[in-house]
Amino acid sequence: MTDVPPLAEGYEISADPARVDAVRVHRWLSTDAYWALGRAREKHDRAMAGSLNFGVYDTASGEQVAYARVVTDLATFAWLCDVYVDPAVRGKGLGTALVAGVRDHLRPHGLRRLLLATHDAHGMYEKIGFEGLEKPERWMALFFDQLDQPDEPDELLKPDRSEESEGFEKSSDNTP
């Protein structure tokens, strides 16, 4: 792991969820982040509510300029995701400093690992100490078909009305 330059002057990192500009973060992710294009606002809000949220803020204006989210049990495992830096302030090392700040925030909890996935930022994450999986063949993923996932959580609570659909007749002995 190489030394990470300090956060650029005029910026600060915070893990205070009350400071996160959820509207801005949703706009960044749903319109400009390849992994979250088109993400619904309600889904974004649920993701934030179930995560630790970190931001980088301009100290003069208080404006949020970067974001990162961590899904964790704060005991053994964490997943770093949704790392984003506003294009207007890229190139100042804010993303690197933010992820280093996240790492340092999580370190006292004694986690065994902090994982992430990236398409194009391997070099930046390596500066902070991330490396490729030693034995990737041990890892698996379960992908839910997004077509089967309702956009609204209330849909999960509604009764299944498929039997009432057109053309479905139910016999008197309760067998289709």
Side-chain angles (χ1 to χ4, degrees), residues 15-161:
D16 180 357
R19 291 188 70 184
V20 174
D21 183 341
V23 172
R24 175 179 293 213
V25 171
H26 175 256
R27 184 180 68 245
W28 285 338
L29 297 177
S30 66
T31 64
D32 192 44
Y34 67 86
W35 64 90
L37 291 176
R39 181 183 290 168
R41 175 63 196 271
E42 184 277 329
K43 182 172 278 204
H44 168 76
D45 289 347
R46 282 189 292 137
M48 288 181 64
S51 304
L52 297 177
N53 298 277
F54 296 84
V56 176
Y57 302 88
D58 180 301
T59 54
S61 67
E63 179 181 14
Q64 185 170 0
V65 298
Y67 176 75
R69 183 169 69 85
V70 176
V71 181
T72 183
D73 59 13
L74 289 175
T76 62
F77 178 81
W79 176 266
L80 174 65
C81 51
D82 289 347
V83 178
Y84 187 91
V85 178
D86 188 312
V89 297
R90 289 182 186 162
K92 297 180 178 185
L94 299 179
T96 304
L98 173 59
V99 174
V102 169
R103 175 201 62 201
D104 295 345
H105 181 89
L106 295 172
R107 189 177 307 235
H109 295 283
L111 302 174
R112 182 167 181 166
R113 63 181 52 96
L114 171 60
L115 293 180
L116 64 85
T118 184
H119 175 72
D120 57 0
H122 295 80
M124 188 274 288
Y125 291 110
E126 287 169 352
K127 292 178 188 176
I128 299 154
F130 284 88
E131 55 190 59
L133 293 173
E134 185 176 314
K135 296 182 180 181
E137 68 277 5
R138 290 186 178 182
W139 294 86
M140 297 180 72
L142 175 64
F143 297 94
F144 293 97
D145 182 354
Q146 290 302 307
L147 298 176
D148 291 340
Q149 300 297 310
D151 287 335
E152 299 296 325
D154 292 344
E155 293 294 317
L156 297 173
L157 303 175
K158 292 180 180 175
D160 181 5
R161 301 281 186 224

Side-chain angles (χ1 to χ4, degrees), residues 1-22:
M1 173 171 51
T2 60
D3 290 328
V4 176
L7 185 63
E9 189 172 332
Y11 297 95
E12 63 185 352
I13 297 172
S14 174
D16 180 357
R19 291 188 70 184
V20 174
D21 183 341

